[in-house]
Amino acid sequence: MKYDIIVMGGGQAGIFAAREALEKNPRLKILVIDKGKMLKERVCPKELTGKCVNCPVCAIIHGISGAGAFSDSKFNMDYRVGGDVHTIVGKERVNEMIAYVVGIYKKYGFEEKPSGERYNKTMLEIKRKCIEHGVQLVDTPTMHLGTDGSRRLYARLIDDLLKKGIEFRTERCLLDLVLKDGAIRGLTVQHKDKIEEYRSDHVILALGRSGAWKVMDLCKKYDIPYENGAVDIGVRAEIPDIVMKEINENFYEAKMIYYSRNYKDKMRTFCSNPSGFIAAEKYEDDVILANGHAFKDKKSQNTNLALLCTKTFTEPFKQPFEYATAIARMASMLTGGKLLVQSYADLKGGRRSTDEKLSRLNIVPTTEDYVAGDIALACPKRILDNIIEFIEVHDKITPGFASGDLLLYFPEIKFRSTRVEIQPNMETRVRGLYAAGDSSGYGSGLNIAAVMGILAARDILAKI
Ligand SMILES: Cc1cc2nc3c(=O)[nH]c(=O)nc-3n(C[C@H](O)[C@H](O)[C@H](O)COP(=O)(O)OP(=O)(O)OC[C@H]3O[C@@H](n4cnc5c(N)ncnc54)[C@H](O)[C@@H]3O)c2cc1C
């Protein structure tokens, strides 16, 4: 059977693309394919046993609703956070589209007021301290769904799409594209031990961060131009809530950017989770990465946030992906496939952490997926120097941040290195083939993924 649109990857970009197309033209035959399972079948053994058992397809990042389904789902309401598709579409257009997505969230029952819209005295003082210490505070209003709230929202959204006739095929991994005369004609997927072919003249590739490798391979194979972009490498920091109280209560998340003194590298905070939990994400080839999330109802006593160093590479180096993956593998080699954790006191003192030393701290880790050790054995010096400098600067804005009780989970890496060449309509050089969301290289958050998916769908609607 031939479909009007195939959405490859049922995450945020894919779901919002499919919804937009169906809403505007209910007669379309739309198919969404994903490597993972339907949302209701996505069960992580860790939720039952408390331990990661290294499933071949991780239920946290794969499956309908994508990585967003189990994320903290802070929805940033501004083009400056979540990606940089505004560089090809324009800032106003992106903000207009973000507002449209917020409208859709509301239709599916999300009613909470965003935080960070207006500054009070405490917030102004935090901003003043940022200015004093050379930190840029990116002040964008944020809606917070929480991991549980986001699951409820996606469940309603998916039920609606199923009711209206969108087809889903799960546990199918993209193998290849089918091209003819420079245009897309369909694709092949692996389903258990079978290869299946699906046909369509319009395919949206939305494979998320986990599928970025696959997108790069396809670009190489079919001569689709792409660039090596930046890669973000750093740590997930965890600190008692009490230290972050002012920021948490006033901003929920304060996004900070800082350029290190010696190396002039860009450092940023990312995805802060007050009263949240550390997450260990398993990718292919033994890559375990740190992340964090927070529930709306279940709370810990710790805040976690990423401290990331953005690295771009110049000629002749062309493999930022492989570079970052090698770092992650090195950490995984030291821990036997877990996160590497060290207290800030031990890192600064040049000694490894041990479980015994961690038990003397005021903080209790919110995950068991770690091995205490020495981050300096796996993290390149330049990145580690930047992290330490950023922690010290953060301490000036949030006194107590650079304490011995700060836990650092290594590595947290955001792979954004394949930036596919796309037009403002999200179409690649292959006619009918669109790229959206994290795997396009233009997205790194829920807001931009949804915007890109919708833009791709609208272009297809105009052409059908
Ligand atoms: C723990 C965690 C917390 C996060 N917190 C936030 C947050 O608070 N705010 C925010 O804005 N963003 C957050 N993010 C990022 C956000 O989830 C992503 O930016 C967003 O989900 C991107 O949407 P996407 O559709 O591009 O990709 P995804 O949501 O990752 O979806 C991609 C889909 O493609 C499928 N896929 C991949 N490869 C293949 C293949 N070869 N064949 C078939 N299917 C494939 C995957 O199974 C997946 O379902 C978080 C991410 C994580 C992991």
Side-chain angles (χ1 to χ4, degrees):
M1 181 202 301
K2 191 169 174 187
Y3 290 88
D4 293 308
I5 305 176
I6 295 179
V7 180
M8 194 62 234
Q12 178 85 348
I15 291 298
F16 275 80
R19 186 196 171 275
E20 181 70 9
L22 188 77
E23 238 0 74
K24 301 273 155 70
N25 187 346
R27 281 169 303 150
L28 292 182
K29 291 197 74 59
I30 302 169
L31 173 66
V32 178
I33 304 179
D34 202 285
K35 187 172 170 171
K37 297 186 176 178
M38 291 303 285
L39 179 61
K40 287 179 185 161
E41 296 159 15
R42 286 173 68 179
V43 180
C44 171
K46 208 162 69 178
E47 287 186 18
L48 307 171
T49 63
K51 289 231 153 118
C52 173
V53 296
N54 291 341
C55 300
V57 177
C58 174
I60 299 286
I61 48 177
H62 295 293
I64 300 303
S65 307
F70 295 83
S71 87
D72 184 41
S73 290
K74 286 176 291 296
F75 188 91
N76 292 294
M77 297 160 75
D78 192 275
Y79 74 89
R80 286 174 296 169
V81 182
D84 49 10
V85 75
H86 62 271
T87 54
I88 46 172
V89 174
K91 298 169 187 172
E92 271 178 29
R93 180 99 178 103
V94 175
N95 274 352
E96 200 181 287
M97 295 295 296
I98 290 176
Y100 176 74
V101 178
V102 171
I104 298 174
Y105 272 49
K106 288 191 174 152
K107 272 192 192 150
Y108 289 97
F110 186 77
E111 277 306 338
E112 207 129 320
K113 244 185 98 48
S115 57
E117 279 186 310
R118 225 175 271 149
Y119 272 31
N120 58 27
K121 248 170 113 180
T122 315
M123 292 158 97
L124 286 171
E125 177 55 16
I126 291 170
K127 178 139 192 178
R128 192 199 62 72
K129 284 200 257 178
C130 285
I131 295 168
E132 184 184 341
H133 298 289
V135 171
Q136 183 192 6
L137 184 65
V138 185
D139 30 13
T140 65
T142 306
M143 293 193 324
H144 177 229
L145 278 76
T147 305
D148 34 8
S150 118
R151 259 190 250 186
R152 282 195 292 271
L153 182 123
Y154 284 117
R156 286 188 206 123
L157 183 51
I158 303 303
D159 280 350
D160 188 37
L161 297 185
L162 280 166
K163 224 186 297 158
K164 289 179 176 159
I166 288 196
E167 284 183 45
F168 290 90
R169 295 266 195 284
T170 53
E171 297 175 76
R172 283 158 169 90
C173 185
L174 174 63
L175 283 179
D176 208 349
L177 302 173
V178 179
L179 266 58
K180 197 172 170 214
D181 303 329
I184 190 84
R185 292 290 175 253
L187 46 84
T188 56
V189 299
Q190 177 91 42
H191 177 51
K192 300 187 175 145
D193 52 0
K194 279 191 307 205
I195 293 178
E196 300 171 342
E197 183 171 334
Y198 294 92
R199 288 186 297 131
S200 176
D201 296 340
H202 305 102
V203 171
I204 301 175
L205 264 188
L207 300 183
R209 219 171 275 159
S210 62
W213 285 273
K214 182 72 192 174
V215 172
M216 187 170 71
D217 288 347
L218 292 171
C219 285
K220 283 181 187 159
K221 181 167 179 184
Y222 293 109
D223 262 339
I224 302 170
Y226 72 93
E227 280 174 13
N228 287 314
V231 62
D232 293 309
I233 305 170
V235 290
R236 173 77 31 179
E238 187 170 46
I239 183 101
D241 275 342
I242 195 165
V243 176
M244 299 293 289
K245 196 167 183 290
E246 277 196 346
I247 285 189
N248 292 352
E249 286 181 358
N250 290 285
F251 287 94
Y252 188 81
E253 172 177 37
K255 296 168 204 72
M256 297 178 191
I257 296 176
Y258 174 74
Y259 292 87
S260 63
R261 272 188 307 271
N262 287 344
Y263 304 109
K264 310 282 179 256
D265 286 335
K266 181 179 174 183
M267 298 295 298
R268 64 184 177 112
T269 61
F270 179 73
C271 183
S272 177
N273 296 294
S275 309
F277 296 83
I278 298 290
E281 289 170 10
K282 182 183 173 282
Y283 289 81
E284 272 142 44
D285 303 331
D286 300 328
V287 171
I288 304 280
L289 302 180
N291 211 319
H293 63 131
F295 295 94
K296 203 94 191 130
D297 303 326
K298 184 176 149 195
K299 302 284 178 196
S300 78
Q301 292 182 352
N302 299 340
T303 297
N304 67 68
L305 67 155
L307 306 175
L308 297 174
C309 174
T310 304
K311 278 308 305 155
T312 36
F313 297 93
T314 48
E315 290 294 314
F317 186 69
K318 287 202 176 87
Q319 295 162 294
F321 237 66
E322 288 79 354
Y323 173 77
T325 306
I327 291 173
R329 285 216 189 96
M330 183 118 76
S332 183
M333 192 195 294
L334 293 168
T335 58
K338 298 202 168 182
L339 298 175
L340 179 55
V341 73
Q342 190 170 22
S343 72
Y344 187 54
D346 286 335
L347 177 67
K348 276 216 313 195
R351 49 185 188 257
R352 71 165 288 183
S353 284
T354 59
D355 286 338
E356 199 279 318
K357 279 198 254 171
L358 295 185
S359 71
R360 293 183 218 160
L361 304 177
N362 286 299
I363 184 165
V364 179
T366 56
T367 177
E368 290 181 12
D369 288 327
Y370 69 81
V371 168
D374 190 349
I375 293 175
L377 288 175
C379 182
K381 180 178 185 303
R382 177 172 179 147
I383 292 169
L384 199 55
D385 287 351
N386 285 333
I387 291 170
I388 292 172
E389 187 180 326
F390 195 29
I391 290 171
E392 295 296 330
V393 169
H394 209 306
D395 189 70
K396 305 258 179 14
I397 296 153
T398 315
F401 191 78
S403 74
D405 283 298
L406 177 68
L407 295 181
L408 304 172
Y409 296 84
F410 185 78
E412 172 138 352
I413 297 175
K414 301 298 176 215
F415 294 99
R416 293 186 286 133
S417 57
T418 311
R419 185 186 279 259
V420 186
E421 187 187 283
I422 48 174
Q423 303 304 311
N425 61 357
M426 310 293 114
E427 197 173 16
T428 67
R429 194 171 287 185
V430 173
R431 254 189 344 275
L433 180 68
Y434 294 74
D438 285 12
S439 64
S440 70
Y442 283 93
S444 58
L446 296 165
N447 54 352
I448 301 305
V451 166
M452 294 184 78
I454 293 171
L455 287 173
R458 285 189 182 174
D459 192 69
I460 297 171
L461 283 162
K463 285 176 178 157
I464 283 178

